[in-house]
Amino acid sequence: MAVFDLSLHQLHQYQGVNPRPADFDTYWARTLDEVGALGVSYELEPEAFPAPGVRCDHLYFTGLGGARIHGKLLRPERIEGRLPAVCVFHGYHHFCGSWFERLPFVYSGMVVLALDTRGQGGCSEDVSCGGDTETLYGQILRGTSCTDPEALLYRSIYADCVQAVRILKSMPFVDEARIGLTGNSQGGGLSVACAALEPVQRIAVIYPFLSDFKRVWEMDLCNASNAYRQFWWHFRKKDPFHQREDELWERLGYIDIQHHAPHIQAKVLWFTGMMDQICPPSTQFAAYNKISSEKEMRILPDYGHEMDMFPFVDDLIYRFLREL
């Protein structure tokens, strides 16, 4: 097996290098209190998508800061009792996807909510930039220059995910004891953070993003893609002598999914490509190794950050979540 990161033996022992803030738990407890105060109100707008036996709706709710958050809700037209449900989170810069790609779960008798992340390729607002829906770059660092750590944009994004799952659980046709989360890259990271902040039963993730930020910097991978290039620009333009570097990693520790991972209670299925230079294996193991619930990692030795090329993964995730 080709190796550009740590050896597999080392990866299984690796615990990450990005610091965890001392008040991490109280920070997120305050955030969850804010989410709780927002309640589970939502609006539905029907979409006339030609899928026989399936009802499709645009779902909207108000998140932290008054942002209007959008998702796509799909469910069988005829429902008896309560159904299991899946919440889908998308990759960085992307959007919640097409109605078509969510149909397999619905035709197997499940409810699906696919969420648009704030300010990315979908319709959810980024109120930190005047309500714009296309503030694609620099989102990881958004809020790190503020004195208040609660200004972090990803704090609000994680809160949106929690609120979406709580809304899903509140629906009269959803069995709140059979909830699954899934996503790749950023969507995988959001699944990990959300499962730690709001109890669910299963999560299926592919090479999660948003883990062990300092490790990516130390590996000199910040120019490998747009995902982490903002770190490179930050130091060049705002902190060229790295006088505040420790402060930056500490602040990002609030949204580092490796620090959320110990709180996960769900059953976990995790896919990792050993040649991934965007979300390096060590950053993924930093989070995975801290999960104490039932878990399995499927390793693809010859693959990188290439969702379309991961063989059979969709089938495996489908089977895993169908067991809810």
Side-chain angles (χ1 to χ4, degrees), residues 16-310:
V17 294
N18 202 94
R20 181 183 188 273
D23 64 340
F24 179 89
D25 290 331
T26 56
Y27 175 94
W28 284 104
R30 290 194 305 271
T31 302
L32 291 177
D33 286 344
E34 290 185 46
V35 174
L38 293 171
V40 290
S41 298
Y42 60 93
E43 305 167 19
L44 296 179
E45 293 183 3
E47 172 70 28
F49 186 74
V54 177
R55 176 170 173 175
C56 300
D57 291 284
H58 294 278
L59 182 145
Y60 296 93
F61 63 89
T62 300
L64 293 185
R68 185 168 173 81
I69 307 301
H70 169 261
K72 291 179 176 177
L73 180 71
L74 301 87
R75 63 190 189 274
E77 283 186 341
R78 299 183 63 180
I79 296 177
E80 295 181 5
R82 293 176 179 264
L83 303 180
V86 175
C87 198
V88 182
F89 304 121
H90 63 75
Y92 196 47
H93 296 176
H94 197 46
F95 73 113
C96 66
S98 66
W99 301 101
F100 173 81
E101 63 188 300
R102 310 303 173 201
L103 291 177
F105 284 115
V106 186
Y107 280 130
S108 65
M110 304 178 77
V111 178
V112 180
L113 175 58
L115 190 71
D116 273 337
T117 301
R118 292 184 182 221
Q120 295 187 11
C123 301
S124 296
E125 293 180 330
D126 178 0
V127 292
S128 68
C129 287
D132 202 336
T133 59
E134 297 178 1
T135 58
L136 297 181
Y137 295 101
Q139 291 198 340
I140 296 173
L141 293 183
R142 187 80 56 75
T144 54
S145 297
C146 300
T147 56
D148 184 357
E150 294 185 357
L152 288 169
L153 176 62
Y154 266 97
R155 170 182 179 264
S156 296
I157 291 173
Y158 290 0
D160 293 339
C161 297
V162 170
Q163 195 172 352
V165 171
R166 290 181 178 181
I167 287 171
L168 198 55
K169 288 180 175 181
S170 77
M171 294 176 177
F173 44 81
V174 170
D175 184 347
E176 65 177 339
R178 291 190 291 165
I179 304 292
L181 311 178
T182 190
N184 67 82
S185 195
Q186 174 188 250
L190 297 182
S191 297
V192 171
C194 185
L197 295 166
E198 177 66 19
V200 296
Q201 283 64 53
R202 292 188 175 222
I203 68 169
V205 298
I206 304 171
Y207 45 59
F209 186 46
L210 303 166
S211 183
D212 208 9
F213 302 108
K214 185 178 180 181
R215 171 66 176 169
V216 179
W217 175 259
E218 290 180 345
M219 293 180 71
D220 195 25
L221 292 175
C222 290
N223 276 321
S225 75
N226 287 327
Y228 287 114
R229 189 168 293 136
Q230 57 197 280
F231 293 164
W232 185 77
W233 282 111
H234 170 83
F235 286 121
R236 284 178 63 86
K237 301 299 183 182
K238 289 193 171 184
D239 189 15
F241 298 105
H242 288 238
Q243 293 172 306
R244 300 180 63 185
E245 180 179 345
D246 291 344
E247 180 183 331
L248 177 68
W249 304 131
E250 179 85 11
R251 179 65 60 89
L252 290 175
Y254 289 111
I255 60 170
D256 189 333
I257 64 167
Q258 67 169 309
H259 303 319
H260 287 277
H263 298 286
I264 291 175
Q265 303 173 36
K267 186 174 182 178
V268 178
L269 178 61
W270 191 302
F271 296 90
T272 298
M274 292 297 287
M275 301 307 295
D276 193 332
Q277 296 190 42
I278 295 176
C279 298
S282 55
T283 68
Q284 296 181 53
F285 275 88
Y288 181 82
N289 289 340
K290 294 181 175 69
I291 296 173
S292 59
S293 61
E294 185 178 353
K295 61 185 179 181
E296 177 186 5
M297 179 181 280
R298 296 287 189 95
I299 294 174
L300 293 94
D302 307 303
Y303 285 81
H305 207 78
E306 43 187 316
M307 175 60 191
D308 293 339
M309 297 297 292
F310 266 35

Side-chain angles (χ1 to χ4, degrees), residues 310-323:
F310 266 35
F312 315 118
V313 167
D314 286 343
D315 289 350
L316 293 170
I317 289 176
Y318 177 80
R319 289 175 181 272
F320 178 75
L321 294 177
R322 276 289 293 127
E323 295 175 3

